[in-house]
Amino acid sequence: MKEKLLAEFERVFGGTEDARVFFAPGRVNLIGEHTDYNGGHVFPCALTIGTYAVARKNGMDTCRMFSLNFEDQGIHAFDINDIYYDKEEYDWANYPMGVIAMLNENEKRVDEGIDMLVFGNIPNSSGLSSSASLEVLTAFALRELFGFEMSLIDIALLSQKAENKFIGVNCGIMDQFAIAMGKKDNAIFLDTATLKYEYAPIRLSGAKIVIACSNKKRGLGDSKYNERRSECEAALASIQTKKNIKALGELSTEEFEAVKDVIGDEVKTRRAKHAVYENIRTLDAVAALKANDIERFGRLMNESHVSLRDDYEVTGIELDTLVETAWTVPGVIGSRMTGAGFGGCTVSIVKEENVDDFIKTVGDTYLSKIGYKADFYVVDIGDGPTEL
Ligand code: GLA
């Protein structure tokens, strides 16, 4: 991979002197969805697929960026002293630009242009965080090239800030944290209220993590993501008139049931209910995994999907078809949508001997019902960012 990327860099920018090669993973969330901006828990893991970059300082004030995934866009060039968001003009390059803008917000850490060639093997808009992967990758590569100090957690926080302030998506910390802090064969049990985290080894005793990609394209920016977040904030504000809490993630299910009538709006009550119950499910799921009760972990994944479908309403016919078909296949321990929803992917835990049958049955049903193909990936849990 390294040689191939360096050869491409040479083709695009001429010469590979001082060029270094970096990688950052994608992520999949096993359980704890739409809890991260509600001060709840999440349980994601980094993948071995992700985004690569070849990068070097170029001695100019101009950054030049090229993606092998979007060759037809050619080189995006911009001045490090004049960085602004432009969806049409810069397209994918807005993500690394946002990171540079945030790095230079208070002090000029990136004081020289770079040449950067990018290649990702995460399916785009799949819900496996290709954008967070690119953000963390950029921050990591710049830290290495410019030699400033920044911990991996600060890289995650800065990348989230780029997404919030530069791109305009009000995402939580889960994706950037999972990518920056990824650890092979482990999921990350993260309390998003405090950023306290714990690695949990994923031992599936003969089962595999299978991702099904709906191929329904979505961008978080045009989705209803920000709307869901505001609905939760409105519900929280109502509850705060009765209870002294900072986030929905502080409530037990009993406390929520006792106070929920104050919300006074049926839709917002369901949104808040999901946030509270999903947080508790995540705690239960991690406890089940620690107790080696993988069947219970799977049942909680299924319940998570039902809640995202009925109360949070972020699934849609594509994800529901993938998950509801998966539930009928022998050897499926659990299956749910993963990520923001509204398209994207599902994650399923499937016994090894049933994986082929799973892919065939779910794939055939999806094609006949939805009219286009789903793609399947049997994935491994990988490490955070590295230099190759
Ligand atoms: C997206 C966001 C995350 C999180 C998930 C839903 O992936 O980037 O912060 O909110 O959706 O769990």
Side-chain angles (χ1 to χ4, degrees):
M1 181 62 90
K2 188 174 173 182
E3 282 63 42
K4 182 177 166 273
L5 291 170
L6 284 167
E8 293 288 352
F9 186 89
E10 171 140 40
R11 172 175 72 86
V12 175
F13 292 112
T16 56
E17 208 183 320
D18 297 331
R20 293 163 66 177
V21 185
F22 304 95
F23 170 79
R27 71 95 186 89
V28 65
N29 187 23
L30 297 178
I31 194 160
E33 215 66 82
H34 290 280
T35 49
D36 65 345
Y37 50 86
N38 285 307
H41 293 75
V42 292
F43 197 49
C45 45
L47 300 171
T48 53
I49 53 175
T51 319
Y52 295 83
V54 186
R56 69 165 176 218
K57 295 188 195 178
N58 64 18
M60 307 187 287
D61 278 346
T62 309
C63 285
R64 301 186 296 187
M65 309 216 154
F66 183 88
S67 168
L68 293 174
N69 299 82
F70 301 102
E71 291 224 24
D72 53 334
Q73 291 182 23
I75 292 178
H76 288 291
F78 58 90
D79 191 315
I80 47 165
N81 303 307
D82 183 26
I83 299 182
Y84 55 89
Y85 176 79
D86 189 323
K87 191 169 195 245
E88 267 70 51
E89 188 180 349
Y90 295 121
D91 195 81
W92 68 270
N94 281 296
Y95 293 96
M97 289 172 78
V99 169
I100 298 174
M102 294 306 131
L103 279 170
N104 283 1
E105 204 179 25
N106 300 317
E107 50 180 307
K108 203 165 172 190
R109 281 183 279 214
V110 181
D111 57 2
E112 181 182 330
I114 59 163
D115 294 336
M116 184 161 103
L117 174 132
V118 168
F119 168 69
N121 53 12
I122 308 171
N124 291 316
S125 305
S126 62
L128 301 178
S129 286
S130 53
S131 54
S133 176
L134 179 55
E135 288 157 358
V136 170
L137 174 70
T138 306
F140 182 81
L142 290 170
R143 180 185 83 173
E144 300 304 302
L145 291 180
F146 287 82
F148 52 82
E149 303 230 331
M150 188 171 261
S151 70
L152 289 171
I153 293 185
D154 284 339
I155 283 184
L157 287 165
L158 182 118
S159 301
Q160 180 201 18
K161 195 164 149 202
E163 184 88 36
N164 293 167
K165 287 182 60 175
F166 195 84
I167 306 292
V169 176
N170 248 333
C171 68
I173 187 63
M174 171 171 74
D175 302 346
Q176 289 81 5
F177 196 98
I179 288 165
M181 298 295 288
K183 183 170 168 184
K184 189 176 171 8
D185 295 332
N186 282 260
I188 308 174
F189 181 40
L190 170 68
D191 179 350
T192 63
T194 58
L195 292 193
K196 274 177 70 180
Y197 67 97
E198 193 188 309
Y199 289 110
I202 299 293
R203 291 185 220 92
L204 296 175
S205 41
K208 292 278 176 194
I209 300 176
V210 187
I211 287 170
C213 188
S214 70
N215 288 326
K216 179 186 180 192
K217 293 285 179 239
R218 49 135 211 121
L220 273 186
D222 17 282
S223 76
K224 291 188 172 293
Y225 185 88
N226 286 349
E227 183 183 303
R228 288 294 176 280
R229 187 167 178 156
S230 323
E231 288 165 342
C232 287
E233 281 162 3
L236 172 66
S238 305
I239 295 174
Q240 281 169 331
T241 63
K242 292 263 177 208
K243 260 185 127 55
N244 183 17
I245 55 164
K246 288 200 195 62
L248 293 173
E250 289 171 37
L251 296 175
S252 67
T253 54
E254 294 77 14
E255 284 167 333
F256 173 74
E257 292 301 332
V259 77
K260 69 177 185 195
D261 287 346
V262 70
I263 300 171
D265 175 282
E266 191 267 331
V267 172
K268 293 191 182 100
T269 305
R270 281 193 282 118
R271 306 299 191 242
K273 178 182 172 208
H274 167 78
V276 172
Y277 278 70
E278 178 76 356
N279 182 44
I280 303 300
R281 259 194 297 277
T282 306
L283 302 177
D284 286 355
V286 174
L289 196 73
K290 284 183 179 162
N292 253 324
D293 190 349
I294 187 74
E295 301 292 331
R296 177 159 173 76
F297 188 89
R299 282 197 301 277
L300 290 160
M301 288 175 75
N302 298 347
E303 283 173 23
S304 164
H305 186 84
V306 171
S307 176
L308 289 156
R309 182 190 66 192
D310 299 344
D311 287 336
Y312 219 63
E313 295 182 281
V314 291
T315 58
I317 175 97
E318 297 84 4
L319 293 172
D320 288 339
T321 301
L322 290 173
V323 166
E324 287 162 19
T325 312
W327 288 342
T328 68
V329 178
V332 173
I333 294 164
S335 183
R336 58 182 288 276
M337 61 149 270
T338 183
F342 312 105
C345 287
T346 68
V347 57
S348 307
I349 299 183
V350 187
K351 290 198 174 131
E352 209 164 345
E353 62 270 27
N354 300 99
V355 168
D356 291 344
D357 180 33
F358 171 88
I359 293 174
K360 174 143 188 25
T361 308
V362 178
D364 288 353
T365 307
Y366 189 79
L367 179 61
S368 71
K369 189 155 170 192
I370 305 297
Y372 50 84
K373 254 171 76 273
D375 288 316
F376 294 85
Y377 306 85
V378 180
V379 295
D380 293 310
I381 302 179
D383 283 317
T386 46
E387 178 164 4
L388 270 63

